[in-house]
Amino acid sequence: MKRSQVIYMVIIGMITTITFFAFKAEGQKVKGWFLAGSYPKGYDIGVENNVERNGHVAFLKSVKSLKADKFGTILQTFIPDDYLGKRVRLTGYLKTNIIKGWVGMWFRIDGDRAKPLGFDNMQDRKIKGITDWKKYEIVLDVPANSKYIAYGVLLAGSGTVWLDDLRFEVVSKDVSDTNMMPKNKPQNTSFEESEK
């Protein structure tokens, strides 16, 4: 894992935890979802009708021009009782209109004291520019000692992302995980493996 990915993972974990509790008290614009991030006042969330998706979709958009070092996220958290000890795939449909920065769906698993046990924010497969509706996925193992799952969509910099039909499903261990956290054992010690 690249150092920038580790730093970003730690930052988003801290900021999401802090801002989730700070913004929860201000009420919801999207039932069950909250606005957070490193600069939440620079973003807005809501729901609108979308003919392409045959119903309502949520959006996350910047309300001013922002550089990619600032981000907002639409998120929710839940207790993962139904997924403990299982490999889980999060899927969702996203459409983007990005001026600066990037978009990623994200999925984080926390243990005691908000210790991250699994994490992926698609930073290694960023969504940029103008994209049409497309299905994306993240796959993580949910350890038996997991306490919370947090997930959502983040927008770094300026632009708009629309999201719809985010779902969780249990998958077999044959499905590769996308976990960005450091592995628990040494890797590629003979240097024969190559990057994908």
Side-chain angles (χ1 to χ4, degrees):
M1 180 184 300
K2 295 178 183 173
R3 185 172 186 270
S4 62
Q5 290 172 319
V6 174
I7 292 168
Y8 197 80
M9 181 179 66
V10 171
I11 290 170
I12 194 169
M14 292 185 315
I15 291 171
T16 301
T17 302
I18 293 166
T19 53
F20 170 72
F21 292 107
F23 281 82
K24 186 174 182 180
E26 293 188 13
Q28 300 169 294
K29 289 180 134 187
V30 182
K31 183 179 179 182
W33 295 85
F34 301 94
L35 174 64
S38 67
Y39 191 66
K41 68 182 180 181
Y43 297 88
D44 190 22
I45 62 173
V47 174
E48 63 187 33
N49 193 44
N50 186 277
V51 175
E52 295 169 304
R53 296 293 302 159
N54 295 314
H56 290 104
V57 301
F59 64 81
L60 166 65
K61 65 180 178 180
S62 59
V63 294
K64 56 176 81 173
S65 180
L66 298 167
K67 293 183 180 178
D69 64 344
K70 305 239 189 296
F71 74 92
T73 180
I74 180 171
L75 75 106
Q76 66 175 246
T77 64
F78 65 92
I79 297 169
D81 290 345
D82 294 340
Y83 303 110
L84 295 176
K86 299 174 182 173
R87 180 161 289 183
V88 175
R89 175 166 46 208
L90 167 64
T91 58
Y93 289 85
L94 304 180
K95 177 180 178 177
T96 61
N97 185 11
I98 308 300
I99 300 167
K100 295 178 185 173
W102 61 280
V103 163
M105 192 167 62
W106 63 272
F107 177 6
R108 193 182 79 239
I109 302 161
D110 290 339
D112 286 327
R113 298 181 181 160
K115 177 184 177 184
L117 303 176
F119 179 80
D120 184 0
N121 67 359
M122 295 180 53
Q123 188 175 20
D124 59 351
R125 51 198 191 283
K126 300 172 184 173
I127 306 167
K128 295 183 173 185
I130 299 170
T131 63
D132 207 348
W133 287 106
K134 182 178 175 183
K135 187 176 185 179
Y136 296 91
E137 69 177 46
I138 294 173
V139 179
L140 295 178
D141 290 319
V142 180
N145 62 334
S146 301
K147 301 298 182 189
Y148 297 97
I149 285 178
Y151 72 105
V153 173
L154 70 90
L155 167 59
S158 298
T160 303
V161 56
W162 294 268
L163 53 148
D164 195 24
D165 289 328
L166 276 72
R167 297 173 195 235
F168 287 91
E169 65 179 319
V170 175
V171 295
S172 75
K173 297 289 184 178
D174 295 335
V175 177
S176 297
D177 75 70
T178 62
N179 197 351
M180 294 173 63
M181 298 215 24
K183 303 297 181 193
N184 293 330
K185 58 185 180 178
Q187 298 182 72
N188 193 21
T189 55
S190 65
F191 305 101
E192 300 300 322
E193 298 173 27
S194 61
E195 290 291 329
K196 292 181 183 177

